Every structure is written in C-alpha cells, then in structure tokens.
Amino acid sequence: MNLPPLEEHWELPWPRLDVPAYRDAQVGAWSLRSVPLLAGKGYFQAVAVRGIALYTMLTRHGGPEPVTVMCSLPMEIESNAKHAVAASGTVVVMGAGMGLTVFNMLKKPDVERVIVVERDPEVIELLRQGADLDSWEGIEKLSFVEADALAYVPDAPVDLLYADIWDGLGAPEGLSDTQAMQKNVRAKRVGWWGQELHFARWLLEEGHGFPATTERFEQWAVEIGLPLTGPGDEDYVALIAAVAENYPEKVGLYVDAPSPAAQPEVDETDLVESVEAPDGSCITLRRRGDAYGIQVDGREWMATESVASEEALARLPCERMAERANPHVVVAGLGMGFTLRAALDALPADARVTAIEVVPEIVEWNRRYLGTYNGDALSDSRVEIVVGDFADWLEASTEPVDAILLDVDNGPEQLAQSSNAALYSTDGLRTLAARLNPGGLLAVWSAARVGWFETCLDEAGLHSETHAIEGGAAGAPEHVVYLISGSHPNASSGSVGT
C-alpha cells in the first residue's frame, strides 16, 4: 500500500519505543488489525506525526459493539515510553495488551525478569500469532501468569510494578486499582498508564496549577501512598502540563465535574441495527427522533440532517453529464443514498448509475429505513446495485465510465476500511482517472481539505477544482468536494490493489 511520506517528531528526553512487527490476526474474541489513520497528536507532544500511516489496533469483540482497547498510535507510544525506560531488575506488568511496553523492557540489559499478569489466555496467543512473540529479543526473561491483576501476589521481590489494564486513557479507577495492586505486589517503584492525568487532577483540585514541580509530584506520591516513577525527574514533571493541555477533557473527568443531577440533558439515540464490516469495524444505524445516523466504530459518519455536501458530490459532476447520450455514472459508497438520489435527479432518463456498496446491510437499511429520506433511490430503474468492494469492482470491470463519485470514506484521512487508503495515493488516482471516458470526471468527498492528497493529485498530473460546501444544518461543518479531470500519460500503469 503506497501512502504519502510521514513526518515524525520525537523531542522527548527519553528514547522512543520500538514497535513490534504486527500482522492482522484474530484469536477468539480478540483481533489485531492494521488501519490507516491520521494521528497527529501524541501524549506529551502536541504534534507527533504529520500525515497518514498504518497503525495496529487491538480490538475486543463479543459485546454489543467491538471495543478498541489499544492502538500503536503516537499517544500510546509516548504515554508508555517513560515507564519502559524506568524498568530494571524484576518487573511486573499488569495487562499484556499489545505487548508494546514489554517488547521494549525485554531489550534492556538491566531488566532481569518480566512477569506479565494477564487473565485472558487468548490475548497471549494473539501476540504469538500476530506479533511473533516467541521471537522477541530477551524472550527468555518473559513469563506469563494467568490471573486477575487485582488479586495477583508475586513469589519474589519486585523492582517495578507497571499497570495498564484499562480500556481508556486516564480511567478514573486507575489510581485506586493501582493502589490495590501495590498492596499485593509491594514493588520498590510503581507506575500506571495515564498517571500524569491523575497528577494534573490533583494539582488543579489543590489549587496549585501549573507549571508542575518535582516537589509537588513528590508530595502527591506521598499522599497517594505509592513509590512512583518520576520524582526527581524535572524534565518528566515539567512535561505533565503538556499532557493536560493535550487532553483537557481527560483532566475534566476529575475536576469540577457536575453531579449527575446537574448534567445537561442529551438526546437519546436508539440503536436500530449494527453489523461488522469486512475489515472488522463496527457499523451501526442509530435513530434520534425522526433522524437517522450511521456510525463507524462509534464515530458519526453521516446523518439525515446534514446532506448538502453528499448531494453536491453528485450534482457538481452530473450536471455536466446531462447533455451526454447514455451517461454511465458510478457511485462508490451508497451510504444513506443521498448522493445516489442527487445523481439521479441531475442525470437524463437514459443514464445508467452503478451504486457500489461493500456492506450488504447498508443496502438493506436504505430499502427498509432510509427510502423515505432519499426518495426511494434504489427503486429507480436506472440504478444497478453492486454489493462488493469498490477497489475489487475497479479491478474487475473494464468498461469506461463518465463519472466516478467516490464517497467510500470520510475523505482521504478518515477511512471506513484500511484497504481504501490506496485509492487516494498517486497510483490510485491515476487508475481512477484512467477509467473515465474522455471529458469524464472524478468527484471525491472529504471532511476537509487535505494537503497531501492535493499533492498526490498534482503528482498524478490531474486537474482539480476544490468546492467548499456548507454543512446544511445548524452547526454542521464545511465539507469539501474535489472535482477532478484529466489523466496522467501513464495512468494505466497504476494499481489500487497493493
């Protein structure tokens, strides 16, 4: 998969963590999968990377919806790095996770033994299959104990206890859980994932504010009764203010939180249906009053209240196709049917429209729930529905078309499935342009302008117009439609299948 160059930053006073070579795997209720993401923010650093890259996600399945509990994002790497550096002697790690911190601890010459306490053996087997656990450097120092972290009692003295058993960063129970673990482990030093956010909470509650000082950190450690890693490290303590600035909502979980009675009312959303997509992401259809919305892994993807940009994605190119005889238009990504509806309204009676959707349930949702919103677009005789991956259709079909309306993602930087990333690369754009008839148009929907994508358009030799579209609902953000024409001389050599 060809992705744009990634610009990485590491200006922290300790080494960056190495990341194991992960591959997609699933064991029981747990999976590892690689997903292209735009992930600029770190933990201590406001900007850790610029660009889109493949990151590996650890996801727990089996509940109403899959839950991603860890990811190899810059935030995870930065938030664990200081604790990996602190490891020496005998180390107890509570929670195997993706093995990121353990992978780095094992490499340290001053680490003699690492005991990982993990209650789910499927997680350990997943690391064997998806991260080549048994080939890790220093693997002879590693042992696993299948037990509950809150109940584990070691059989020998421990130099460092590191706890990371929570799904979310800065979990409110992190402090009390770590205190309970330390009662059993009695380690010489202790750390837990997200402890900096708890310290920030204490600083604000006590009225100390920032900048933090080593004296305040030592005072806090005494008050909570834990021999923490960090006291005396001025660089580390000074950086905690940056964590609070980067994650104010996490600090806000603890500071000045209103009582439940004072919480503002929010609109309830009812889960209508949910489905697991081919790449493992969870897609849900939800209803709020008379409106519907589709979410991917909990993120709002589209809603019936805001459709102006989806309609513009079709209207801008299809109005230019109106005088053509028998124009053939491809709608890549059915969504809630608004792009398809707008295409049908703009095209002549002899047009053909091929709508391609990878998730069959979304097609069914359009028929069962969304037809009243999109004018029963699927019932139009000009429409052919193809259930499958757009990239597969692109590779299998040889017929040139007059327009391709690409809306399979929330734009180049917010992908619905990882394989779509290749569509927005230079080679992918050349392939798309090569499928157009002379004078044909490619329209790409995006949540915002994307600089590296525009660079790829230039590299592909394509002409593009950028249209900013108002959201169409109160408070809705401005979206972008790229209208693209012209083809590179070597367009036929491109491929989106790698």
PDB file of all heavy atoms in Angstrom, residues 104-134:
ATOM      1  N   ASN A 104       9.770  -3.568  24.705  1.00  0.00           N
ATOM      2  CA  ASN A 104      10.910  -2.682  24.935  1.00  0.00           C
ATOM      3  C   ASN A 104      11.618  -2.965  26.250  1.00  0.00           C
ATOM      4  O   ASN A 104      12.839  -2.838  26.335  1.00  0.00           O
ATOM      5  CB  ASN A 104      10.446  -1.228  24.877  1.00  0.00           C
ATOM      6  CG  ASN A 104      10.133  -0.781  23.466  1.00  0.00           C
ATOM      7  OD1 ASN A 104      10.989  -0.259  22.766  1.00  0.00           O
ATOM      8  ND2 ASN A 104       8.897  -0.987  23.021  1.00  0.00           N
ATOM      9  N   MET A 105      10.879  -3.362  27.285  1.00  0.00           N
ATOM     10  CA  MET A 105      11.510  -3.710  28.560  1.00  0.00           C
ATOM     11  C   MET A 105      12.453  -4.896  28.411  1.00  0.00           C
ATOM     12  O   MET A 105      13.541  -4.933  28.992  1.00  0.00           O
ATOM     13  CB  MET A 105      10.433  -4.019  29.599  1.00  0.00           C
ATOM     14  CG  MET A 105       9.648  -2.820  30.101  1.00  0.00           C
ATOM     15  SD  MET A 105       8.345  -3.335  31.261  1.00  0.00           S
ATOM     16  CE  MET A 105       7.765  -1.750  31.854  1.00  0.00           C
ATOM     17  N   LEU A 106      12.026  -5.884  27.630  1.00  0.00           N
ATOM     18  CA  LEU A 106      12.840  -7.095  27.470  1.00  0.00           C
ATOM     19  C   LEU A 106      14.195  -6.795  26.842  1.00  0.00           C
ATOM     20  O   LEU A 106      15.171  -7.519  27.079  1.00  0.00           O
ATOM     21  CB  LEU A 106      12.096  -8.116  26.608  1.00  0.00           C
ATOM     22  CG  LEU A 106      10.852  -8.748  27.217  1.00  0.00           C
ATOM     23  CD1 LEU A 106      10.115  -9.586  26.183  1.00  0.00           C
ATOM     24  CD2 LEU A 106      11.216  -9.615  28.427  1.00  0.00           C
ATOM     25  N   LYS A 107      14.287  -5.745  26.057  1.00  0.00           N
ATOM     26  CA  LYS A 107      15.548  -5.408  25.391  1.00  0.00           C
ATOM     27  C   LYS A 107      16.566  -4.771  26.324  1.00  0.00           C
ATOM     28  O   LYS A 107      17.752  -4.689  25.988  1.00  0.00           O
ATOM     29  CB  LYS A 107      15.281  -4.446  24.223  1.00  0.00           C
ATOM     30  CG  LYS A 107      14.484  -5.050  23.086  1.00  0.00           C
ATOM     31  CD  LYS A 107      14.318  -4.021  21.965  1.00  0.00           C
ATOM     32  CE  LYS A 107      13.595  -4.599  20.777  1.00  0.00           C
ATOM     33  NZ  LYS A 107      13.493  -3.624  19.661  1.00  0.00           N
ATOM     34  N   LYS A 108      16.131  -4.312  27.488  1.00  0.00           N
ATOM     35  CA  LYS A 108      17.031  -3.586  28.383  1.00  0.00           C
ATOM     36  C   LYS A 108      17.952  -4.555  29.134  1.00  0.00           C
ATOM     37  O   LYS A 108      17.460  -5.495  29.786  1.00  0.00           O
ATOM     38  CB  LYS A 108      16.219  -2.769  29.382  1.00  0.00           C
ATOM     39  CG  LYS A 108      15.374  -1.665  28.764  1.00  0.00           C
ATOM     40  CD  LYS A 108      14.826  -0.757  29.859  1.00  0.00           C
ATOM     41  CE  LYS A 108      15.956  -0.005  30.545  1.00  0.00           C
ATOM     42  NZ  LYS A 108      15.486   0.782  31.689  1.00  0.00           N
ATOM     43  N   PRO A 109      19.259  -4.341  29.094  1.00  0.00           N
ATOM     44  CA  PRO A 109      20.186  -5.233  29.805  1.00  0.00           C
ATOM     45  C   PRO A 109      19.957  -5.262  31.315  1.00  0.00           C
ATOM     46  O   PRO A 109      20.226  -6.279  31.962  1.00  0.00           O
ATOM     47  CB  PRO A 109      21.561  -4.646  29.462  1.00  0.00           C
ATOM     48  CG  PRO A 109      21.351  -3.876  28.206  1.00  0.00           C
ATOM     49  CD  PRO A 109      19.969  -3.331  28.294  1.00  0.00           C
ATOM     50  N   ASP A 110      19.480  -4.138  31.891  1.00  0.00           N
ATOM     51  CA  ASP A 110      19.299  -4.097  33.345  1.00  0.00           C
ATOM     52  C   ASP A 110      17.960  -4.685  33.793  1.00  0.00           C
ATOM     53  O   ASP A 110      17.659  -4.684  34.984  1.00  0.00           O
ATOM     54  CB  ASP A 110      19.457  -2.679  33.878  1.00  0.00           C
ATOM     55  CG  ASP A 110      18.529  -1.671  33.204  1.00  0.00           C
ATOM     56  OD1 ASP A 110      17.978  -2.002  32.140  1.00  0.00           O
ATOM     57  OD2 ASP A 110      18.370  -0.562  33.741  1.00  0.00           O
ATOM     58  N   VAL A 111      17.154  -5.169  32.860  1.00  0.00           N
ATOM     59  CA  VAL A 111      15.924  -5.892  33.204  1.00  0.00           C
ATOM     60  C   VAL A 111      16.249  -7.377  33.243  1.00  0.00           C
ATOM     61  O   VAL A 111      16.682  -7.956  32.246  1.00  0.00           O
ATOM     62  CB  VAL A 111      14.801  -5.602  32.192  1.00  0.00           C
ATOM     63  CG1 VAL A 111      13.624  -6.539  32.425  1.00  0.00           C
ATOM     64  CG2 VAL A 111      14.346  -4.147  32.297  1.00  0.00           C
ATOM     65  N   GLU A 112      16.029  -7.994  34.381  1.00  0.00           N
ATOM     66  CA  GLU A 112      16.368  -9.407  34.572  1.00  0.00           C
ATOM     67  C   GLU A 112      15.172 -10.331  34.353  1.00  0.00           C
ATOM     68  O   GLU A 112      15.339 -11.468  33.902  1.00  0.00           O
ATOM     69  CB  GLU A 112      16.915  -9.615  35.992  1.00  0.00           C
ATOM     70  CG  GLU A 112      18.166  -8.794  36.283  1.00  0.00           C
ATOM     71  CD  GLU A 112      18.519  -8.792  37.757  1.00  0.00           C
ATOM     72  OE1 GLU A 112      17.790  -9.468  38.545  1.00  0.00           O
ATOM     73  OE2 GLU A 112      19.494  -8.121  38.130  1.00  0.00           O
ATOM     74  N   ARG A 113      13.990  -9.839  34.641  1.00  0.00           N
ATOM     75  CA  ARG A 113      12.807 -10.690  34.571  1.00  0.00           C
ATOM     76  C   ARG A 113      11.573  -9.811  34.359  1.00  0.00           C
ATOM     77  O   ARG A 113      11.448  -8.751  34.986  1.00  0.00           O
ATOM     78  CB  ARG A 113      12.671 -11.490  35.876  1.00  0.00           C
ATOM     79  CG  ARG A 113      11.526 -12.492  35.900  1.00  0.00           C
ATOM     80  CD  ARG A 113      11.434 -13.146  37.280  1.00  0.00           C
ATOM     81  NE  ARG A 113      10.362 -14.130  37.345  1.00  0.00           N
ATOM     82  CZ  ARG A 113       9.877 -14.650  38.476  1.00  0.00           C
ATOM     83  NH1 ARG A 113      10.392 -14.279  39.646  1.00  0.00           N
ATOM     84  NH2 ARG A 113       8.907 -15.550  38.457  1.00  0.00           N
ATOM     85  N   VAL A 114      10.678 -10.246  33.476  1.00  0.00           N
ATOM     86  CA  VAL A 114       9.414  -9.546  33.260  1.00  0.00           C
ATOM     87  C   VAL A 114       8.277 -10.550  33.425  1.00  0.00           C
ATOM     88  O   VAL A 114       8.234 -11.567  32.721  1.00  0.00           O
ATOM     89  CB  VAL A 114       9.338  -8.893  31.866  1.00  0.00           C
ATOM     90  CG1 VAL A 114       7.969  -8.233  31.668  1.00  0.00           C
ATOM     91  CG2 VAL A 114      10.445  -7.871  31.681  1.00  0.00           C
ATOM     92  N   ILE A 115       7.401 -10.268  34.364  1.00  0.00           N
ATOM     93  CA  ILE A 115       6.234 -11.116  34.618  1.00  0.00           C
ATOM     94  C   ILE A 115       5.002 -10.352  34.151  1.00  0.00           C
ATOM     95  O   ILE A 115       4.711  -9.262  34.635  1.00  0.00           O
ATOM     96  CB  ILE A 115       6.103 -11.451  36.117  1.00  0.00           C
ATOM     97  CG1 ILE A 115       7.379 -12.110  36.628  1.00  0.00           C
ATOM     98  CG2 ILE A 115       4.877 -12.326  36.367  1.00  0.00           C
ATOM     99  CD1 ILE A 115       7.489 -12.122  38.136  1.00  0.00           C
ATOM    100  N   VAL A 116       4.284 -10.910  33.191  1.00  0.00           N
ATOM    101  CA  VAL A 116       3.071 -10.282  32.685  1.00  0.00           C
ATOM    102  C   VAL A 116       1.868 -11.011  33.255  1.00  0.00           C
ATOM    103  O   VAL A 116       1.717 -12.224  33.071  1.00  0.00           O
ATOM    104  CB  VAL A 116       3.029 -10.306  31.143  1.00  0.00           C
ATOM    105  CG1 VAL A 116       1.696  -9.743  30.647  1.00  0.00           C
ATOM    106  CG2 VAL A 116       4.193  -9.507  30.569  1.00  0.00           C
ATOM    107  N   VAL A 117       1.031 -10.278  33.949  1.00  0.00           N
ATOM    108  CA  VAL A 117      -0.193 -10.834  34.530  1.00  0.00           C
ATOM    109  C   VAL A 117      -1.345 -10.519  33.579  1.00  0.00           C
ATOM    110  O   VAL A 117      -1.690  -9.355  33.358  1.00  0.00           O
ATOM    111  CB  VAL A 117      -0.460 -10.251  35.928  1.00  0.00           C
ATOM    112  CG1 VAL A 117      -1.745 -10.840  36.511  1.00  0.00           C
ATOM    113  CG2 VAL A 117       0.733 -10.513  36.850  1.00  0.00           C
ATOM    114  N   GLU A 118      -1.906 -11.562  32.992  1.00  0.00           N
ATOM    115  CA  GLU A 118      -2.984 -11.408  32.013  1.00  0.00           C
ATOM    116  C   GLU A 118      -4.033 -12.487  32.268  1.00  0.00           C
ATOM    117  O   GLU A 118      -3.716 -13.668  32.280  1.00  0.00           O
ATOM    118  CB  GLU A 118      -2.434 -11.519  30.589  1.00  0.00           C
ATOM    119  CG  GLU A 118      -3.474 -11.550  29.496  1.00  0.00           C
ATOM    120  CD  GLU A 118      -4.403 -10.352  29.521  1.00  0.00           C
ATOM    121  OE1 GLU A 118      -3.900  -9.212  29.458  1.00  0.00           O
ATOM    122  OE2 GLU A 118      -5.628 -10.570  29.625  1.00  0.00           O
ATOM    123  N   ARG A 119      -5.272 -12.076  32.444  1.00  0.00           N
ATOM    124  CA  ARG A 119      -6.303 -13.051  32.807  1.00  0.00           C
ATOM    125  C   ARG A 119      -6.895 -13.778  31.611  1.00  0.00           C
ATOM    126  O   ARG A 119      -7.562 -14.795  31.769  1.00  0.00           O
ATOM    127  CB  ARG A 119      -7.421 -12.375  33.592  1.00  0.00           C
ATOM    128  CG  ARG A 119      -8.199 -11.324  32.842  1.00  0.00           C
ATOM    129  CD  ARG A 119      -9.221 -10.675  33.754  1.00  0.00           C
ATOM    130  NE  ARG A 119      -9.984  -9.629  33.063  1.00  0.00           N
ATOM    131  CZ  ARG A 119     -10.892  -8.861  33.660  1.00  0.00           C
ATOM    132  NH1 ARG A 119     -11.143  -9.039  34.952  1.00  0.00           N
ATOM    133  NH2 ARG A 119     -11.538  -7.944  32.993  1.00  0.00           N
ATOM    134  N   ASP A 120      -6.661 -13.262  30.382  1.00  0.00           N
ATOM    135  CA  ASP A 120      -7.257 -13.877  29.206  1.00  0.00           C
ATOM    136  C   ASP A 120      -6.167 -14.527  28.349  1.00  0.00           C
ATOM    137  O   ASP A 120      -5.390 -13.836  27.692  1.00  0.00           O
ATOM    138  CB  ASP A 120      -8.004 -12.830  28.383  1.00  0.00           C
ATOM    139  CG  ASP A 120      -8.904 -13.454  27.323  1.00  0.00           C
ATOM    140  OD1 ASP A 120      -8.626 -14.590  26.914  1.00  0.00           O
ATOM    141  OD2 ASP A 120      -9.881 -12.797  26.910  1.00  0.00           O
ATOM    142  N   PRO A 121      -6.090 -15.854  28.313  1.00  0.00           N
ATOM    143  CA  PRO A 121      -5.046 -16.516  27.531  1.00  0.00           C
ATOM    144  C   PRO A 121      -5.144 -16.243  26.035  1.00  0.00           C
ATOM    145  O   PRO A 121      -4.157 -16.395  25.311  1.00  0.00           O
ATOM    146  CB  PRO A 121      -5.249 -18.005  27.846  1.00  0.00           C
ATOM    147  CG  PRO A 121      -6.672 -18.123  28.311  1.00  0.00           C
ATOM    148  CD  PRO A 121      -6.964 -16.830  29.004  1.00  0.00           C
ATOM    149  N   GLU A 122      -6.318 -15.853  25.558  1.00  0.00           N
ATOM    150  CA  GLU A 122      -6.458 -15.545  24.132  1.00  0.00           C
ATOM    151  C   GLU A 122      -5.601 -14.347  23.732  1.00  0.00           C
ATOM    152  O   GLU A 122      -5.101 -14.283  22.598  1.00  0.00           O
ATOM    153  CB  GLU A 122      -7.921 -15.270  23.791  1.00  0.00           C
ATOM    154  CG  GLU A 122      -8.803 -16.506  23.848  1.00  0.00           C
ATOM    155  CD  GLU A 122     -10.250 -16.211  23.491  1.00  0.00           C
ATOM    156  OE1 GLU A 122     -10.605 -15.003  23.415  1.00  0.00           O
ATOM    157  OE2 GLU A 122     -11.030 -17.156  23.294  1.00  0.00           O
ATOM    158  N   VAL A 123      -5.412 -13.402  24.642  1.00  0.00           N
ATOM    159  CA  VAL A 123      -4.578 -12.234  24.342  1.00  0.00           C
ATOM    160  C   VAL A 123      -3.134 -12.660  24.135  1.00  0.00           C
ATOM    161  O   VAL A 123      -2.444 -12.184  23.218  1.00  0.00           O
ATOM    162  CB  VAL A 123      -4.689 -11.188  25.466  1.00  0.00           C
ATOM    163  CG1 VAL A 123      -3.734 -10.022  25.215  1.00  0.00           C
ATOM    164  CG2 VAL A 123      -6.116 -10.683  25.589  1.00  0.00           C
ATOM    165  N   ILE A 124      -2.658 -13.572  24.965  1.00  0.00           N
ATOM    166  CA  ILE A 124      -1.281 -14.046  24.850  1.00  0.00           C
ATOM    167  C   ILE A 124      -1.096 -14.813  23.542  1.00  0.00           C
ATOM    168  O   ILE A 124      -0.096 -14.630  22.827  1.00  0.00           O
ATOM    169  CB  ILE A 124      -0.919 -14.920  26.065  1.00  0.00           C
ATOM    170  CG1 ILE A 124      -1.071 -14.099  27.356  1.00  0.00           C
ATOM    171  CG2 ILE A 124       0.495 -15.462  25.933  1.00  0.00           C
ATOM    172  CD1 ILE A 124      -1.005 -14.920  28.617  1.00  0.00           C
ATOM    173  N   GLU A 125      -2.057 -15.648  23.205  1.00  0.00           N
ATOM    174  CA  GLU A 125      -1.959 -16.394  21.956  1.00  0.00           C
ATOM    175  C   GLU A 125      -2.025 -15.447  20.758  1.00  0.00           C
ATOM    176  O   GLU A 125      -1.360 -15.678  19.732  1.00  0.00           O
ATOM    177  CB  GLU A 125      -3.085 -17.425  21.873  1.00  0.00           C
ATOM    178  CG  GLU A 125      -3.060 -18.302  20.621  1.00  0.00           C
ATOM    179  CD  GLU A 125      -1.763 -19.084  20.460  1.00  0.00           C
ATOM    180  OE1 GLU A 125      -1.126 -19.428  21.482  1.00  0.00           O
ATOM    181  OE2 GLU A 125      -1.384 -19.331  19.295  1.00  0.00           O
ATOM    182  N   LEU A 126      -2.802 -14.387  20.879  1.00  0.00           N
ATOM    183  CA  LEU A 126      -2.867 -13.401  19.803  1.00  0.00           C
ATOM    184  C   LEU A 126      -1.507 -12.765  19.564  1.00  0.00           C
ATOM    185  O   LEU A 126      -1.100 -12.536  18.418  1.00  0.00           O
ATOM    186  CB  LEU A 126      -3.901 -12.326  20.141  1.00  0.00           C
ATOM    187  CG  LEU A 126      -4.119 -11.245  19.074  1.00  0.00           C
ATOM    188  CD1 LEU A 126      -4.716 -11.839  17.805  1.00  0.00           C
ATOM    189  CD2 LEU A 126      -5.014 -10.133  19.616  1.00  0.00           C
ATOM    190  N   LEU A 127      -0.763 -12.477  20.637  1.00  0.00           N
ATOM    191  CA  LEU A 127       0.581 -11.916  20.480  1.00  0.00           C
ATOM    192  C   LEU A 127       1.519 -12.913  19.807  1.00  0.00           C
ATOM    193  O   LEU A 127       2.419 -12.519  19.052  1.00  0.00           O
ATOM    194  CB  LEU A 127       1.137 -11.494  21.837  1.00  0.00           C
ATOM    195  CG  LEU A 127       0.467 -10.289  22.496  1.00  0.00           C
ATOM    196  CD1 LEU A 127       1.081 -10.010  23.853  1.00  0.00           C
ATOM    197  CD2 LEU A 127       0.566  -9.059  21.603  1.00  0.00           C
ATOM    198  N   ARG A 128       1.326 -14.183  20.069  1.00  0.00           N
ATOM    199  CA  ARG A 128       2.154 -15.193  19.390  1.00  0.00           C
ATOM    200  C   ARG A 128       1.873 -15.207  17.889  1.00  0.00           C
ATOM    201  O   ARG A 128       2.780 -15.279  17.071  1.00  0.00           O
ATOM    202  CB  ARG A 128       1.905 -16.572  19.997  1.00  0.00           C
ATOM    203  CG  ARG A 128       2.464 -16.744  21.396  1.00  0.00           C
ATOM    204  CD  ARG A 128       2.555 -18.227  21.797  1.00  0.00           C
ATOM    205  NE  ARG A 128       3.357 -18.370  22.993  1.00  0.00           N
ATOM    206  CZ  ARG A 128       2.866 -18.394  24.235  1.00  0.00           C
ATOM    207  NH1 ARG A 128       1.557 -18.287  24.414  1.00  0.00           N
ATOM    208  NH2 ARG A 128       3.667 -18.508  25.274  1.00  0.00           N
ATOM    209  N   GLN A 129       0.586 -15.132  17.549  1.00  0.00           N
ATOM    210  CA  GLN A 129       0.218 -15.231  16.137  1.00  0.00           C
ATOM    211  C   GLN A 129       0.369 -13.918  15.389  1.00  0.00           C
ATOM    212  O   GLN A 129       0.709 -13.912  14.206  1.00  0.00           O
ATOM    213  CB  GLN A 129      -1.230 -15.723  16.023  1.00  0.00           C
ATOM    214  CG  GLN A 129      -1.452 -17.133  16.535  1.00  0.00           C
ATOM    215  CD  GLN A 129      -2.845 -17.642  16.250  1.00  0.00           C
ATOM    216  OE1 GLN A 129      -3.543 -17.158  15.356  1.00  0.00           O
ATOM    217  NE2 GLN A 129      -3.287 -18.631  17.023  1.00  0.00           N
ATOM    218  N   GLY A 130       0.108 -12.796  16.061  1.00  0.00           N
ATOM    219  CA  GLY A 130       0.082 -11.516  15.382  1.00  0.00           C
ATOM    220  C   GLY A 130       1.269 -10.616  15.626  1.00  0.00           C
ATOM    221  O   GLY A 130       1.374  -9.550  15.005  1.00  0.00           O
ATOM    222  N   ALA A 131       2.198 -11.034  16.525  1.00  0.00           N
ATOM    223  CA  ALA A 131       3.357 -10.185  16.824  1.00  0.00           C
ATOM    224  C   ALA A 131       4.638 -11.001  16.978  1.00  0.00           C
ATOM    225  O   ALA A 131       5.644 -10.470  17.453  1.00  0.00           O
ATOM    226  CB  ALA A 131       3.102  -9.370  18.094  1.00  0.00           C
ATOM    227  N   ASP A 132       4.611 -12.294  16.601  1.00  0.00           N
ATOM    228  CA  ASP A 132       5.802 -13.154  16.701  1.00  0.00           C
ATOM    229  C   ASP A 132       6.434 -13.088  18.089  1.00  0.00           C
ATOM    230  O   ASP A 132       7.644 -12.933  18.246  1.00  0.00           O
ATOM    231  CB  ASP A 132       6.844 -12.766  15.643  1.00  0.00           C
ATOM    232  CG  ASP A 132       6.382 -13.110  14.236  1.00  0.00           C
ATOM    233  OD1 ASP A 132       5.700 -14.136  14.078  1.00  0.00           O
ATOM    234  OD2 ASP A 132       6.697 -12.351  13.304  1.00  0.00           O
ATOM    235  N   LEU A 133       5.590 -13.205  19.101  1.00  0.00           N
ATOM    236  CA  LEU A 133       6.025 -13.089  20.490  1.00  0.00           C
ATOM    237  C   LEU A 133       7.250 -13.938  20.811  1.00  0.00           C
ATOM    238  O   LEU A 133       8.200 -13.476  21.447  1.00  0.00           O
ATOM    239  CB  LEU A 133       4.864 -13.466  21.419  1.00  0.00           C
ATOM    240  CG  LEU A 133       5.186 -13.638  22.907  1.00  0.00           C
ATOM    241  CD1 LEU A 133       5.565 -12.306  23.522  1.00  0.00           C
ATOM    242  CD2 LEU A 133       3.991 -14.246  23.646  1.00  0.00           C
ATOM    243  N   ASP A 134       7.258 -15.178  20.360  1.00  0.00           N
ATOM    244  CA  ASP A 134       8.321 -16.105  20.751  1.00  0.00           C
ATOM    245  C   ASP A 134       9.684 -15.756  20.153  1.00  0.00           C
ATOM    246  O   ASP A 134      10.700 -16.341  20.552  1.00  0.00           O
ATOM    247  CB  ASP A 134       7.931 -17.537  20.372  1.00  0.00           C
ATOM    248  CG  ASP A 134       6.723 -18.024  21.159  1.00  0.00           C
ATOM    249  OD1 ASP A 134       6.579 -17.605  22.335  1.00  0.00           O
ATOM    250  OD2 ASP A 134       5.913 -18.785  20.610  1.00  0.00           O
TER     251      ASP A 134
END
